[in-house]
Amino acid sequence: LARGVREPDLAGRHVVVSAGGTREPLDPVRFLGNRSSGKQGYALARTAAARGARVTLIAANTGLPDPAGVDVVRVGTAVQLREAVLKATPDADAVVMAAAVADFRPAAYATGKIKKKDGQEPEPIVLVRNPDILAEISADRPRPGQIVVGFAAETDDVLANGRAKLERKGCDLLVVNEVGERRTFGSEENEAVVLGADGSETAVPHGPKEALAETVWDLVTRRLP
Ligand code: CTP
Ligand code: CA
């Protein structure tokens, strides 16, 4: 094979990738959101397609153009993302949760715009927990041998927090990256450690998000039945 041309080692496989960040509406004009750009998830979708996979990309609020040859499902909230993931995964060989899912959503949605009132302090925003999609699909794999991958952005004790999170979630692989003011969000590059439930640890040096994506698929293909 020529340099840069990949062997189609995901041919005949179906992979599901979530990307972007969920938005949890407060009223028709406002939401609670996060800074995920979706670029890492899109890189995962593109590289999987280039390696021959059928790809379902579940995109939460990304504004990025649909990658060629990929089925794109657009969603807004965590609850919608969960629905789309559960719908796409029964026949999936691998599921990669690269989306930043809001942990909480406003307990109530105001159907009309929330207005301020003269001389009155604002009402506090009451939040409720969102479903944990990664934990749910890890615990209850719709297909035997399915490989489940999570992502975690951590600011402190990155590896220890990553190991604990991998166990808590019950996934096969967890991609852990350190975030800070200038790192990761919206950037074209990434740097991470991929932790395996088998105890493995794969460092991915600072580089394009495609390179991290290729490493993820290398680790996934090795684990597929
Ligand atoms: N995730 C998910 N559903 C949620 C929250 C997170 O599926 N409600 C997934 C993310 O897509 C990611 C992984 O879980 O792949 C880890 O997300 P993270 O926010 O780091 O994990 P949390 O358990 O929410 O931990 P924390 O309290 O640190 O936010
Ligand atoms: Ca979280």
Side-chain angles (χ1 to χ4, degrees):
L1 287 173
R3 203 150 44 127
V5 177
R6 276 264 168 190
E7 208 164 336
D9 57 358
L10 287 171
R13 304 289 192 174
H14 177 212
V15 304
V16 175
V17 177
S18 71
T22 65
R23 289 180 180 176
E24 309 299 324
L26 277 161
D27 72 11
V29 294
R30 304 183 181 97
F31 58 82
L32 301 180
N34 62 69
R35 291 155 64 101
S36 176
S37 68
K39 287 176 185 168
Q40 184 61 62
Y42 276 57
L44 282 155
R46 277 196 305 275
T47 50
R51 290 166 75 149
R54 176 162 77 83
V55 182
T56 304
L57 173 63
I58 303 171
N61 310 294
T62 60
L64 297 168
D66 292 356
V70 165
D71 293 327
V72 182
V73 181
R74 295 201 174 264
V75 297
T77 65
V79 167
Q80 291 167 356
L81 178 57
R82 175 178 175 273
E83 296 280 291
V85 168
L86 294 185
K87 189 163 172 236
T89 45
D91 74 341
D93 295 283
V95 187
V96 182
M97 285 293 297
V101 184
D103 294 325
F104 313 109
R105 65 176 182 276
Y109 172 74
T111 52
K113 187 185 169 194
I114 299 165
K115 305 289 280 181
K116 54 188 168 343
K117 295 181 194 83
D118 274 348
Q120 251 181 281
E121 291 302 313
E123 291 291 326
I125 297 170
V126 179
L127 301 174
V128 294
R129 285 283 283 264
N130 267 329
D132 189 327
I133 306 162
L134 179 63
E136 184 176 346
I137 53 173
S138 297
D140 193 10
R141 314 232 173 161
R143 181 176 176 161
Q146 186 175 70
I147 304 299
V148 179
V149 185
F151 269 70
E154 300 287 343
T155 54
D156 313 283
D157 301 328
V158 177
L159 286 183
N161 278 329
R163 239 337 127 194
K165 192 168 281 183
L166 174 74
E167 269 174 36
R168 209 163 55 234
K169 299 283 189 180
C171 52
D172 301 289
L173 294 163
L174 187 74
V175 183
V176 188
N177 47 74
E178 189 173 351
V179 293
E181 280 299 302
R182 290 173 306 109
R183 299 180 82 149
T184 301
F185 292 111
S187 103
E188 302 298 332
E189 304 201 310
N190 214 342
E191 178 184 345
V193 178
V194 188
L195 303 178
D198 53 6
S200 69
E201 204 172 297
T202 310
V204 185
H206 188 83
K209 289 185 172 179
E210 259 77 19
L212 174 55
E214 298 285 14
T215 302
V216 169
W217 295 125
D218 290 346
L219 294 168
V220 166
T221 44
R222 246 178 264 160
R223 284 165 173 79
L224 284 171

